[in-house]
Amino acid sequence: MAKEINTIGVLTSGGDAPGMNAAIRAVVREGLSKGKKVKGIRRGYAGLLNEEIIDMDAKSVSDTISRGGTILQTARCMEFVTPEGQQKGAEICKKHGIDAIVVIGGDGSFQGAQKLAGLGINTVGVPGTIDLDIACTDYTIGFDTACNTAMEAIDKVRDTSTSHERCSIIEVMGRGAGYIALWCGLANGAEEILLPEKYDYDEQRLIEQIKAAHDCGKQHYIIINAEGVGHSQSMAKRIEEATGIETRATILGHMQRGGSPTVMDRVYATTMGAMAVDLLCEGKSNRVVAHRNGEFVDYDINEALAMKKCIPEYMYQLSKSLV
Ligand code: ADP
Ligand code: F6P
């Protein structure tokens, strides 16, 4: 029989992402509207282990929907990866009357939620990461804002690159995944994208292409390099030496994680946060909310973590053919 829950905890974990506040707001207000108590757990699993637990009311999330970052703060916590840390976390939940938790984060955070579920705390994960690297979902909170931020920055680099007739390597985030690079590659009309999932490390081919483009009169050569490939500075030096074309590297870095969320991030985060509460109120646990094939759905966390995700081949081929 489904366990009835009274108090829902909410935490953000791993890297922050624009839209996390919209998700927290939805969890709090949907929880309250269903007659539940809601508690905020600050600093992810680290805050849980330190009992940084606060009561949330409707007002505590006022004026947050448009703000980047996470009002609950976030952290990475090695202690929680250990069985002792997880046991301690579950006991702290019970001590504070928290019988269910919404975990907003990535795959790593979902593994924590899976462990808590096994220890009797009902959990639902909400995909929050700019990297889009969660296999069960076509959308993750923050990806849209991060891509828009990177796209605007790359447009600016392109202006100066054209003026100076340079080659520019712009490194975008994504940890081991190339989705931000792929989307920016298409959105910015880059000459080349380097993705960890696809790049063959044939730098000689790249050098020949840059020279050929230059000989055809191209005034710039924009390479969007994913963080997972990395080494943008040394690559720029080698390209300049080999081609004689001035080459600069720009690493966009953490600016991609900040800023006010786009309409897409606000609406999807709101829907997913509320859905997580609805699932908990139905007595469900060890689930993750996802957006798949145009619909909001949920999966068992174990099933979700076992799924694999690939770079969409057609989009990747377009990045090659439309140059
Ligand atoms: P993300 O959630 O974005 O993938 P991380 O991989 O850094 O980010 O994970 C965030 C946090 O989730 C970690 O710092 C840790 O506290 C927790 N976590 C990660 N892996 C596990 C695991 N295998 N078991 C329990 N908790 C985990
Ligand atoms: O997972 C989000 C992310 O921004 C990745 O793209 C990046 O690799 C990582 O987090 C950076 O982490 P930190 O904030 O610890 O430097």
Side-chain angles (χ1 to χ4, degrees), residues 160-183:
T160 171
S161 198
T162 309
S163 305
H164 286 262
E165 297 172 83
R166 281 175 175 161
C167 171
S168 287
I169 303 176
I170 302 145
E171 188 172 310
V172 296
M173 272 188 169
R175 209 184 299 215
Y179 297 99
I180 299 178
L182 172 67
W183 278 61

Side-chain angles (χ1 to χ4, degrees), residues 69-280:
T70 156
I71 56 163
L72 288 175
Q73 263 87 46
T74 185
R76 297 195 171 96
C77 172
M78 287 322 290
E79 190 186 348
F80 199 74
V81 181
T82 66
E84 298 75 27
Q86 292 151 15
Q87 187 64 44
K88 184 176 164 192
E91 278 160 21
I92 290 170
C93 286
K94 286 172 192 156
K95 178 177 159 192
H96 288 264
I98 296 173
D99 35 30
I101 293 195
V102 177
V103 172
I104 306 165
D107 274 345
S109 306
F110 295 165
Q111 289 186 51
Q114 183 189 41
K115 304 291 170 13
L116 279 177
L119 294 166
I121 309 299
N122 285 9
T123 59
V124 175
V126 171
T129 169
I130 64 164
D131 300 338
L132 198 70
D133 61 347
I134 301 179
C136 70
T137 183
D138 300 333
Y139 163 85
T140 61
I141 296 171
F143 176 73
D144 189 56
T145 307
C147 283
N148 276 287
T149 302
M151 180 189 73
E152 283 174 22
I154 295 164
D155 280 343
K156 291 181 173 127
V157 175
R158 185 192 179 109
D159 288 345
T160 171
S161 198
T162 309
S163 305
H164 286 262
E165 297 172 83
R166 281 175 175 161
C167 171
S168 287
I169 303 176
I170 302 145
E171 188 172 310
V172 296
M173 272 188 169
R175 209 184 299 215
Y179 297 99
I180 299 178
L182 172 67
W183 278 61
C184 287
L186 292 179
N188 292 96
E191 275 67 36
E192 181 73 55
I193 56 170
L194 306 178
L195 313 183
E197 299 90 340
K198 294 284 187 185
Y199 185 39
D200 58 5
Y201 293 86
D202 184 353
E203 210 164 277
Q204 199 47 46
R205 175 196 57 83
L206 189 55
I207 285 163
E208 295 309 324
Q209 278 178 208
I210 296 167
K211 281 194 205 157
H214 188 256
D215 293 345
C216 285
K218 275 236 182 209
Q219 290 179 315
H220 59 239
Y221 200 93
I222 303 292
I223 301 170
I224 300 184
N225 187 26
E227 177 188 8
V229 172
H231 305 287
S232 297
Q233 297 287 2
S234 55
M235 200 188 291
K237 205 160 170 266
R238 287 193 299 275
I239 289 174
E240 182 164 310
E241 275 165 15
T243 60
I245 299 165
E246 274 192 323
T247 304
R248 296 285 188 270
T250 305
I251 297 170
L252 296 183
H254 288 85
M255 67 175 292
Q256 293 161 94
R257 286 226 304 251
S260 179
T262 59
V263 62
M264 182 157 181
D265 276 329
R266 294 182 199 195
V267 173
Y268 278 53
T270 297
T271 309
M272 287 180 154
M275 245 186 96
V277 169
D278 295 348
L279 290 168
L280 290 172

